[in-house]
Amino acid sequence: MIIAKNIHKSFGDLEVLKGIDLHVKPQEVVVLVGVSGSGKSTLLRCFNFLEMINHGEIILDGKPVNIKKDNLNKIRAEVGMVFQHFNLFPHKTVLENIIEAPMMVKKKEKGAAIKHAKQLLEKVGLAEKADVYPSKLSGGQKQRVAIARSLAMEPKVMLFDEPTSALDPELVSEVLAVMKQLAQEGMTMVVVTHEMRFAKEVADRIIMLDQGRIIESADPKTFFENPSHDRTRQFIQLVE
Amino acid sequence: MPEIFGTLWEVFARTWSGFLDATVITLQLTGVGVVLGCVLGLFFALLKLSGSKPLQLIANFYITIIRGTPLIVQIVFLYFGITEFITLSNFWAGAIALGVHNGAYIAEIFRGAIQGIDKGQSEASSSLGMTKGQSMRRIIFPQALKRSIPPLGNQFIIALKDSSLVYVIGVAELFSLANREAAQSFQPFETYLVVGLYYLVLVMIFSYLLSLYERKLDVDK
Ligand SMILES: Nc1ncnc2c1ncn2[C@@H]1O[C@H](COP(=O)(O)OP(=O)(O)O)[C@@H](O)[C@H]1O
Ligand SMILES: [Mg+2]
């Protein structure tokens, strides 16, 4: 679904990604871990071209992406992204947040967009909040709306960048539950998170990023019980 | 003391119908000025934010020239200075000068407001596949406009008061009429006090409407 080949990304003199090779298979759930500053967000943002890679290649759903020639908006529409700080549109109601992109980008007819949006709200357990403004929601509710908003575009992959890091602890589980359900339904997902329980339960593969390189890539059991790298062991101790 | 109020009242009673007509013209000048100012302001704000060096240069040139020269010079320039190329009525020369003048300030208001919107908003729109234009129109600008309203209101009040400078090209707005009245009646003290009162009342009415609107926006959110 996503194939990254030797991705390099620098900000000025600072090389943040130093040759990343990664193959995310359809329906796979990959959890990305690593200390702060290791390049997790940058890698995710390269996958939907919020950041442009300097070297290497990204192949999405079998098609190599040409940053200069391809219509990146169209590609982004197929890659959902959920942000740490939700980034809901504060001037729009929950329903309007969700139908905006399907109508503007996919030219979906309003009635159909609303119908789909309501199904998605049902799915994330917020059917009764359709006409509320985001400022009236808790963090956990906001993030669930943000997930529904992404899903409304029917993306092929969903990227999550620390979706629960900005939440009060008691609100984390409602968001993780929605993500877990998505995974069970077969959504391809790349998730940056520090929630190790989620990683253990849901991930097909856990990848450890360290200073812009992948140093560990293993199924959860191997990752936690028998990691190959000292840095991984240290990291596991740190977060557990 | 009471005599002052007596003569003030007398001047007010004698002039009110003329001043009412002049008030309409002042409001028309201000109206055209702020509408044109908003259009130009948005246009130049977008040029400044376009990321293109030449376009930014054009916007900076406009803003520097307009903010660096007195409005009264801009007014007479538009009316007397360019008659070789185009002849404008004094009303339109004045109104356009006001618009062009306010556009430079409003451009900075819009630019600041647009830049003040959290980057996450445009990232979220991009990640949903929206184009830059869609994201600006549907997501960024509506939020920026809301934040612009207090400084815009302030700028509108300045425009209302600045419209008095158009007296210099003989538009029959409030201040022109006051000058004429003061000279003819030999009552400059009372006349200028009265005309000052007209401006004050207009500003207070506008401020009040603005505060109502701002409160409504707060409630909406
Ligand atoms: N837009 C940017 N400009 C400059 N440096 C950046 C930018 N984005 C991220 N960085 C730097 O890149 C490094 C990796 O950041 P990031 O990908 O956010 O790490 P993580 O998500 O793993 O914490 C950090 O040192 C960060 O300061
Ligand atoms: Mg990060």
Side-chain angles (χ1 to χ4, degrees):
Chain A
M1 185 59 65
I2 302 178
I3 301 176
K5 287 186 184 166
N6 193 28
I7 292 186
H8 288 259
K9 171 69 190 173
S10 304
F11 295 106
D13 289 338
L14 179 70
E15 188 170 38
V16 176
L17 300 178
K18 301 168 182 161
I20 301 282
D21 287 291
L22 178 62
H23 185 166
V24 183
K25 297 175 199 71
Q27 311 213 325
E28 192 180 18
V29 176
V30 172
V31 165
L32 208 55
V33 300
V35 295
S36 170
S38 56
K40 306 178 297 291
S41 296
T42 306
L43 182 58
L44 275 198
R45 293 159 61 85
C46 286
F47 287 158
N48 75 351
F49 306 93
L50 286 177
E51 303 291 354
M52 304 300 167
I53 56 175
N54 302 117
H55 294 287
E57 188 174 25
I58 295 176
I59 302 169
L60 276 180
D61 200 22
K63 291 179 288 270
V65 177
N66 184 327
I67 287 175
K68 297 213 174 70
K69 294 205 184 112
D70 289 345
N71 180 347
L72 293 179
N73 295 315
K74 217 162 171 180
I75 294 167
R76 288 193 193 102
E78 300 185 335
V79 181
M81 177 120 179
V82 174
F83 301 86
Q84 182 176 358
H85 296 287
F86 332 123
N87 298 345
L88 292 179
F89 307 134
H91 60 305
K92 293 184 179 291
T93 64
V94 164
L95 189 76
E96 288 165 350
N97 263 273
I98 300 175
I99 64 175
E100 177 70 19
M103 288 179 63
M104 297 304 291
V105 179
K106 287 191 158 178
K107 310 295 176 202
K108 207 167 180 176
E109 185 254 328
K110 187 165 184 183
I114 290 178
K115 194 163 162 239
H116 189 205
K118 289 197 163 156
Q119 288 166 357
L120 290 169
L121 279 175
E122 192 84 46
K123 178 178 179 143
V124 300
L126 291 170
E128 76 286 3
K129 299 289 185 190
D131 298 319
V132 162
Y133 282 93
S135 58
K136 295 282 187 310
L137 300 177
S138 73
Q141 292 171 331
K142 283 182 190 165
Q143 196 59 297
R144 286 186 281 155
V145 172
I147 293 172
R149 180 177 68 174
S150 277
L151 291 175
M153 291 300 285
E154 301 175 306
K156 294 177 176 150
V157 192
M158 288 281 284
L159 311 173
F160 295 83
D161 193 358
E162 302 201 25
T164 59
S165 295
L167 301 179
D168 293 337
E170 71 273 18
L171 301 176
V172 168
S173 64
E174 64 189 55
V175 173
L176 292 181
V178 168
M179 292 167 61
K180 190 170 173 180
Q181 190 196 341
L182 265 183
Q184 283 162 353
E185 290 168 6
M187 176 61 81
T188 311
M189 296 165 54
V190 183
V191 183
V192 175
T193 184
H194 296 299
E195 296 293 332
M196 289 304 127
R197 254 218 352 240
F198 176 83
K200 272 180 196 164
E201 284 175 24
V202 182
D204 296 304
R205 195 149 49 110
I206 303 178
I207 285 176
M208 166 95 184
L209 218 57
D210 186 57
Q211 299 183 6
R213 290 195 177 86
I214 292 178
I215 60 167
E216 190 92 41
S217 171
D219 62 88
K221 197 168 150 58
T222 316
F223 186 91
F224 286 105
E225 289 169 13
N226 192 20
S228 61
H229 213 284
D230 277 348
R231 302 275 297 186
T232 315
R233 214 162 286 130
Q234 288 166 11
F235 177 80
I236 293 169
Q237 277 172 3
L238 203 73
V239 291
E240 285 206 319
Chain B
M1 205 57 185
E3 310 94 276
I4 292 179
F5 288 113
T7 48
L8 266 180
W9 175 252
E10 180 208 309
V11 169
F12 178 79
R14 192 181 66 239
T15 57
W16 72 267
S17 86
F19 270 162
L20 228 50
D21 291 343
T23 300
V24 171
I25 296 178
T26 287
L27 290 177
Q28 285 170 339
L29 278 168
T30 310
V32 174
V34 300
V35 169
L36 181 60
C38 284
V39 172
L40 289 173
L42 181 57
F43 178 73
F44 284 103
L46 292 177
L47 287 196
K48 275 202 89 156
L49 296 168
S50 65
S52 142
K53 277 267 147 25
L55 296 182
Q56 285 171 352
L57 214 66
I58 293 172
N60 284 337
F61 182 76
Y62 164 74
I63 292 169
T64 307
I65 298 287
I66 296 300
R67 298 218 297 194
T69 56
L71 173 56
I72 198 164
V73 175
Q74 296 161 11
I75 292 168
V76 292
F77 181 76
L78 269 191
Y79 189 53
F80 297 116
I82 57 170
T83 46
E84 270 186 51
F85 311 102
I86 186 171
T87 315
L88 296 165
S89 73
N90 58 0
F91 175 84
W92 282 102
I96 292 171
L98 268 176
V100 170
H101 183 80
N102 281 283
Y105 291 90
I106 294 174
E108 292 292 49
I109 290 173
F110 280 149
R111 184 187 59 81
I114 290 170
Q115 278 182 330
I117 301 299
D118 178 32
K119 253 186 67 201
Q121 293 289 306
S122 58
E123 290 186 347
S125 344
S126 292
S127 78
L128 291 164
M130 295 167 77
T131 63
K132 277 238 163 66
Q134 286 172 334
S135 154
M136 179 56 77
R137 241 180 332 111
R138 307 273 312 170
I139 307 300
I140 310 298
F141 188 68
Q143 295 180 55
L145 184 62
K146 205 161 145 181
R147 284 201 204 170
S148 304
I149 284 173
L152 274 181
N154 199 28
Q155 190 61 38
F156 291 178
I157 288 171
I158 294 173
L160 174 68
K161 293 184 293 182
D162 278 357
S163 72
S164 59
L165 287 172
V166 167
Y167 88 94
V168 73
I169 56 173
V171 180
E173 44 67 71
L174 275 172
F175 186 57
S176 293
L177 193 67
N179 282 332
R180 215 172 61 213
E181 271 299 324
Q184 282 173 0
S185 66
F186 300 106
Q187 286 178 303
F189 178 78
E190 292 83 355
T191 313
Y192 288 129
L193 268 185
V194 167
V195 79
L197 213 61
Y198 274 87
Y199 282 110
L200 183 63
V201 167
L202 289 177
V203 168
M204 284 170 65
I205 291 173
F206 182 77
S207 300
Y208 176 68
L209 293 177
L210 191 71
S211 73
L212 283 188
Y213 187 63
E214 278 173 22
R215 210 167 312 152
K216 181 178 169 299
L217 283 181
D218 269 351
V219 173
D220 279 353
K221 205 185 135 189

